[in-house]
Amino acid sequence: MLDLKRQYRPLHQELLQAIGHVLEAQQFILGEPVAAFEQAAAAQLGVAHAVGCSSGTDALWLALAAAGIRPGDAIITTPFSFFASVSAILRAGATPLLADIEPATFNLDPVQVKAVLDGPHGAEVKAVLPVHLFGQCADWTAFWHLGKTYGLKLIEDAAQAWGAEWQGVKAGALGDAAAFSFYPTKNLSAAGDAGMVTTNSDELAERARMLRQHGMRRRYYHDEVGWNTRMDGFQGAILQIKLKYIDGWNHARRAVARRYHALFHAAGLAEAGPYPAHGVVLPHEVSGTHHVWHQYVIRTARRDALRQFLAERKIGSEIYYPVPLHLQQALLSLGYSEGSFPEAERAAREVLALPIFPELREDEQQTVVSAIAEFLS
Ligand SMILES: Cc1ncc(COP(=O)(O)O)c(C=O)c1O
C-alpha cells in the first residue's frame, strides 16, 4: 500500500544531519528548528502565519479554539472523514452538526450544509469545517459564499492536502484557519506525530501560539486554559528538509494518478459514475482544483470481495472509511442513525483506496489494475 523506505533512503544523510543539529543545539521543544520550519511552511503556502503543534488532531482543536469557538457553538462538518474531524469539535466544547457529501468527490456538499444552516439549529452555527479529503479541496467558492451570507468562520481540515489548491490558492490559505497533519503516511510527513495551524489572521495566530503552551503569553502567567500541544524540534528539522521536496513528490503522485486512469481506461474497466455498476468508478479531479492525490480511491460494487482478492495476491488496499462518523459507537450521542447521510453511507460501502505514493512504479500499477480486471472478469 505504501513503501515509506523509498522516500527515506535518498534523504538518509540529509535527515541525519538535521537531527544532529537539533541534538547539538539541544532545542527539543519548539525553538529555532520549529520556528524555521513554520516560516518556510507559511511562505510555501502563501499564508501569513504557521503555528506548529503536536498532531493534526491537536491542530484542529487549536484552530477552533484560537478562532474563538466556545461551548454552545455548533460547527458543521462531514460524516465521511477521519474521526478527528468531529472529535476535535467536541474537544473544543462545541457541537458537531453533520451534512452529507458529494458522491463524485466525497467532500462535504455545500447544498447539504445550506440545508443545515436553514434548519432548526442554523442559528447556533458559528463555523463550517470542510475536509479536503484524499488531497482534493472542498468546493471553496460555495463555502466562501455561505460563510459571507451566514457570517460564519471557515476552518479547513487540510490534514490530507499539503500542496492542494482551489482556483490557484493553496489549501491552508483558503479559510480563516486550517489544520494540517504530518502523520508519517501524509504527503508531507514527520518522523512521528506533528501538525500545524495556518492562518492569515495575526490575532488568530497569536492566540494559537498562546493556547499551544497552556495559555501562556508570559512564562508561568496563564491567560486562558490552553493545552500542551507543542511541536518538537526533531519534527521541525525533518519537516523543513522535506518541504524542499514536497512539490516534486506531489507532482509524482499526480503522474501516478494519471497512469491509473490510463490503465483502467485501457482495460475497459472505467465507468462514468458517480456510482459503480459492474466496473470501477475512478476518482476525478474537479476543474479549477489541484489534486495532490493523498489517496487514489475507486468505487466498486463488490468492494469487500475485491479487497480480499487483492490481499490474496499481496496487493495492498485500504478502506477510508468503513464506518461513517455518525454511525461510530463513540458518536451515537450526536443523535444520527442509519439513513441520516445516504451518500456517506453508500461511499463507506463502495470505496477502496489503491496503492499510491510518489515512488510507485508503472509495472506495480499494471499489476494492481490487471488483478482488478481479473476479479471483475
Ligand atoms: C482528515 C483528517 N483529519 C485529521 C487527522 C488527524 O491528524 P493526526 O493523525 O496527525 O492527529 C487526519 C489524520 O489522520 C486526517 O486524515
Side-chain angles (χ1 to χ4, degrees):
M1 185 66 186
L2 174 62
D3 184 359
L4 288 171
K5 286 189 185 145
R6 292 191 206 175
Q7 182 192 84
Y8 166 66
R9 281 194 203 103
L11 297 184
H12 172 81
Q13 278 309 329
E14 218 177 342
L15 293 175
L16 277 188
Q17 208 173 31
I19 289 170
H21 286 149
V22 177
L23 286 170
E24 286 300 326
Q26 294 282 298
Q27 289 209 324
F28 299 122
I29 307 281
L30 297 175
E32 205 280 323
V34 172
F37 168 62
E38 288 174 338
Q39 222 174 12
Q44 188 174 106
L45 295 178
V47 68
H49 304 281
V51 181
C53 64
S54 54
S55 71
T57 304
D58 272 354
L60 280 169
W61 167 78
L62 195 55
L64 291 165
I69 297 306
R70 306 233 165 285
D73 294 345
I75 316 286
I76 304 177
T77 193
T78 163
F80 197 63
S81 180
F82 180 62
F83 184 68
S85 306
V86 166
S87 67
I89 295 173
L90 292 165
R91 180 50 65 92
T95 305
L97 296 178
L98 304 181
D100 213 347
I101 58 167
E102 301 167 338
T105 63
F106 308 109
N107 273 327
L108 184 62
D109 184 345
V111 174
Q112 300 297 329
V113 170
K114 185 172 186 313
V116 176
L117 288 167
D118 293 337
H121 297 290
E124 294 147 34
V125 177
K126 292 292 183 311
V128 182
L129 195 156
V131 179
H132 304 318
L133 202 68
F134 304 145
Q136 173 157 250
C137 287
D139 181 347
W140 215 262
T141 307
F143 287 118
W144 187 86
H145 281 292
L146 286 176
K148 285 278 163 252
T149 310
Y150 291 84
L152 305 170
K153 291 224 154 65
L154 299 178
I155 312 288
E156 301 167 64
D157 183 338
Q160 303 184 359
W162 188 277
E165 293 174 18
W166 179 267
Q167 318 270 354
V169 179
K170 286 230 159 56
L174 292 163
D176 293 281
F180 286 95
S181 164
F182 304 120
Y183 185 79
T185 59
K186 296 293 193 271
N187 290 25
L188 177 62
S189 62
D193 273 317
M196 195 172 79
V197 173
T198 57
T199 180
N200 278 314
S201 157
D202 297 347
E203 188 195 338
L204 202 149
E206 194 276 332
R207 279 184 57 72
R209 289 183 194 284
M210 176 267 291
L211 289 167
R212 79 175 163 178
Q213 295 215 75
H214 285 299
M216 286 190 287
R217 289 189 168 89
R218 213 166 24 127
R219 208 161 168 73
Y220 303 126
Y221 288 79
H222 301 270
D223 300 339
E224 289 185 46
V225 178
W227 207 246
N228 168 9
T229 174
R230 303 172 296 224
M231 182 184 279
D232 81 60
F234 291 122
Q235 304 311 337
I238 286 168
L239 285 162
Q240 200 181 351
I241 301 287
K242 291 195 180 182
L243 204 55
K244 294 189 292 186
Y245 300 102
I246 183 63
D247 279 349
W249 290 332
N250 280 343
H251 189 75
R253 281 175 183 271
R254 288 174 61 78
V256 171
R258 276 197 303 275
R259 282 204 304 258
Y260 267 134
H261 270 56
L263 290 169
F264 276 115
H265 278 284
L269 300 176
E271 292 180 342
Y275 310 115
H278 309 292
V280 166
V281 176
L282 304 180
H284 98 120
E285 182 173 23
V286 173
S287 96
T289 60
H290 182 80
H291 199 320
V292 291
W293 299 101
H294 175 56
Q295 299 297 344
Y296 188 91
V297 177
I298 61 169
R299 288 181 92 129
T300 184
R302 290 190 296 138
R303 190 267 315 273
D304 292 335
L306 171 60
R307 185 163 192 234
Q308 178 68 28
F309 185 87
L310 294 176
E312 283 158 13
R313 282 150 188 78
K314 298 204 171 353
I315 295 173
S317 65
E318 193 50 85
I319 299 169
Y320 305 110
Y321 296 91
V323 181
L325 296 175
H326 64 292
L327 301 179
Q328 293 285 351
Q329 181 70 28
L331 299 174
L332 292 181
S333 60
L334 296 182
Y336 300 105
S337 56
E338 188 89 39
S340 295
F341 304 109
E343 292 297 351
E345 289 165 25
R346 179 159 191 173
R349 289 192 298 271
E350 295 178 346
V351 291
L352 191 64
L354 302 181
I356 188 164
F357 51 97
E359 302 82 8
L360 189 67
R361 298 190 313 267
E362 184 162 2
D363 62 298
E364 293 171 315
Q365 291 187 260
Q366 181 66 67
T367 304
V368 174
V369 175
S370 299
I372 294 174
E374 190 188 338
F375 174 80
L376 291 173
S377 63

